Amino acid sequence: MQAATRGRWAVAGIFLANGFLTGSWAPQIPVFLTRLDISKFTLGLLILLFGAGAVTAMTWCGHLISRHGSRAVLRWFGLCGSFGLLAVALAPNVPLAAIAMFIFGGSIGGMDVAMNANAVAVERRLSRAIMSSSHGFWSLGGFAGGALGGFAIQNYGHFAHATVVTVLAFAVIALAVGYLIVEDKPEAAEHQKFSLPAHPVVYLVGLMALLTMVSEGAVLDWAALYLQQELGADLAIAGLAYAAFSGVMALMRFLGDGVRNRFGAVAQRRHRAEAVAHAVAGMLVAGLSPSPWLAIAAFAFCGFGIANMVPIIFSAGGNQEGMSSGTGMSVVTTMGYSGILVAPSAIGFVAEHSSFGPIFVALSGLLIVVLLMAGLAHRAEFAPEPDGFQVGST
C-alpha cells in the first residue's frame, strides 16, 4: 500500500508536468503568431497539426500500454514531451514549426493517455477515487504555466521562458516515472494486434469528452489572443485568462474526489446542473465581455462549471467492461482531445473572418448535451485490482 501511495503521488507529478507544459504554450501563442508573421488561419492550421500529432499518438497508445504497461509508455512520451515547447519556440519558420507542433502534440497526447490509464490503475489498487485530484494537478500545472508564462515572456523573452519550462518539466517527470505503479501485463499481450473496440458505449463516453473539451481547448488556444487583440490587454494580463480558468478548475478538482467517493460518479454529475449552468454562463459572459478583467473572471466561472466532468468521463472510459483500461482510455482520450486539440484549429479559420467574441458565445451551449448523457458515467465506479497487481519503483 505504501508503494501504491507513492505511485499515486508520482502520477500526480506527471499530471502536473503535462498541465504545466500545456499551460505554458498558451502565453507563447501571441508571440508565435507575430514571430512567424502568420495569420490566424495559418496559426489554426499549425494548431491542427498539434492536434493531429496528439490524436495519432493517442490512437496507438492503448495498444502500446497493453503490451508494455503505462509506466514504460509514460517514461518515453513524458521525457520526450518535455522538449516539445522548446522545439516550437526554436522553430524559425513555418515548415519547421509545423514539424515541431506535430511532435509536441504527439508527445503530449501519448503522455496523456498513459497517465490517465495509470491513474485508473491506482484507483483500482487503492479502491478510491483519485482521478479528479489528478486532473486537479493538471489544472494546477496549467494555472502555473499560464500565470507565469505571460510575465516571463514579456520580461525575459519567449526562448528563456521555454527553456525554463523544459528544465522544470523534465526534472519532475524524470523523478516521478520511477515510482509509478506497474499493472499486470496479460500473458498474451505480446501477440495482440492493434484494433479498435467494437462496443458502442465507449464511443458515446468519448463523445461526452469531446463536447466537454471543445470549450477547454478554445480557452487554451484563443483566450490570450482574444484578450490581447479584441479587448486591449497586454501580454501579461492576456495570459491570466487561461490561468484563471485552470486555477479554478484545479481547486474544484481537488474537491471532486471526496464528493465522488462519498456519493458516486453518477450522483455527482446529476447534481452538477447548477455547475453546468455556471459553465454556460461563464463562456457566454466571456464572449460578450467589454473588458479583459471581466472576461478573465468569466473564464474562471466557466472553469468552475466544467472542472470535474472530464475526470469522471475518463474514469468511465478506463473502466469499460470487456476491454483493458488502456484501450478504453485510448478511445475516450482520443475523442476528447480532438475537442481540446483539433477543434480549436477551426476556430482560427472562423476568427480570420469574424471575431472571437461570437465564437465563445456559440461554444457556451455545448455542455448541456453532456449533462443529458450523464448516465453513461456509471462505469466511472472503479473495481478493485486483482491480488496479482504489481507495484514497482525504478
Side-chain angles (χ1 to χ4, degrees):
M1 186 63 69
Q2 184 179 6
T5 301
R6 288 200 301 266
R8 183 264 179 278
W9 292 112
V11 77
I14 299 290
F15 271 88
L16 180 72
N18 187 286
F20 185 58
L21 286 164
T22 305
S24 296
W25 158 242
Q28 285 268 349
I29 292 173
V31 178
F32 189 67
L33 186 79
T34 56
R35 182 171 64 85
L36 297 182
D37 192 24
I38 56 178
S39 66
K40 284 183 271 191
F41 175 68
T42 303
L43 176 60
L45 292 178
L46 290 172
I47 293 173
L48 179 62
L49 285 173
F50 183 98
V55 170
T56 300
M58 287 173 171
T59 302
W60 283 93
C61 206
H63 178 60
L64 293 174
I65 291 170
S66 69
R67 288 174 62 91
H68 306 292
S70 59
R71 186 174 76 163
V73 175
L74 259 178
R75 177 184 290 117
W76 294 109
F77 275 110
L79 294 177
C80 291
S82 301
F83 295 91
L85 183 66
L86 184 60
V88 172
L90 286 171
N93 52 50
V94 172
L96 290 177
I99 296 171
M101 289 286 283
F102 185 86
I103 295 172
F104 185 27
S107 60
I108 290 293
M111 185 179 172
D112 204 286
V113 174
M115 70 189 189
N116 278 285
N118 196 266
V120 168
V122 172
E123 287 190 327
R124 292 175 177 174
R125 176 59 175 170
L126 297 177
S127 296
R128 62 181 176 87
I130 67 152
M131 188 64 82
S132 287
S133 57
S134 294
H135 281 258
F137 280 103
W138 189 90
S139 296
L140 185 63
F143 168 75
L148 300 176
F151 174 82
I153 293 169
Q154 186 164 287
N155 289 278
Y156 303 106
H158 77 282
F159 174 70
H161 167 254
T163 301
V164 172
V165 168
T166 299
V167 171
L168 292 175
F170 184 89
V172 171
I173 293 168
L175 177 65
V177 289
Y179 296 96
L180 294 170
I181 63 171
V182 180
E183 311 96 323
D184 280 333
K185 187 168 66 173
E187 293 181 6
E190 297 298 326
H191 305 287
Q192 291 177 350
K193 293 183 178 180
F194 171 75
S195 62
L196 292 173
H199 202 292
V201 174
V202 71
Y203 298 103
L204 293 176
V205 175
L207 177 62
M208 294 172 65
L210 186 151
L211 293 175
T212 302
M213 296 178 77
V214 164
S215 297
E216 191 170 343
V219 178
L220 168 66
D221 288 322
W222 299 110
L225 270 180
Y226 170 51
L227 265 66
Q228 186 185 46
Q229 295 188 353
E230 297 183 19
L231 299 183
D234 62 29
L235 186 58
I237 292 176
L240 295 178
Y242 185 69
F245 181 79
S246 291
V248 172
M249 282 205 302
L251 176 62
M252 296 308 299
R253 285 172 170 175
F254 285 129
L255 297 174
D257 284 334
V259 175
R260 182 179 155 206
N261 283 325
R262 183 172 181 181
F263 299 109
V266 176
Q268 182 189 15
R269 285 184 54 75
R270 286 178 174 170
H271 288 83
R272 287 190 64 79
E274 183 178 348
V276 175
H278 291 162
V280 173
M283 193 68 77
L284 180 65
V285 172
L288 298 174
S289 175
S291 74
W293 289 109
L294 177 59
I296 290 169
F299 283 128
F301 203 59
C302 183
F304 169 79
I306 71 171
N308 286 308
M309 294 181 186
V310 172
I312 293 174
I313 292 170
F314 279 9
S315 279
N319 284 292
Q320 288 298 306
E321 200 170 332
M323 67 187 71
S324 70
S325 63
T327 299
M329 190 65 69
S330 179
V331 171
V332 173
T333 53
T334 298
M335 293 182 67
Y337 278 85
S338 295
I340 199 171
L341 300 173
V342 178
S345 64
I347 294 176
F349 174 78
V350 176
E352 189 70 19
H353 303 279
S354 178
S355 60
F356 288 114
I359 293 172
F360 286 117
V361 171
L363 290 172
S364 66
L366 292 180
L367 301 174
I368 297 175
V369 179
V370 181
L371 179 64
L372 297 176
M373 299 172 71
L376 294 175
H378 74 281
R379 290 301 305 174
E381 297 306 314
F382 43 84
E385 191 71 26
D387 292 338
F389 187 91
Q390 301 173 17
V391 179
S393 59
T394 62

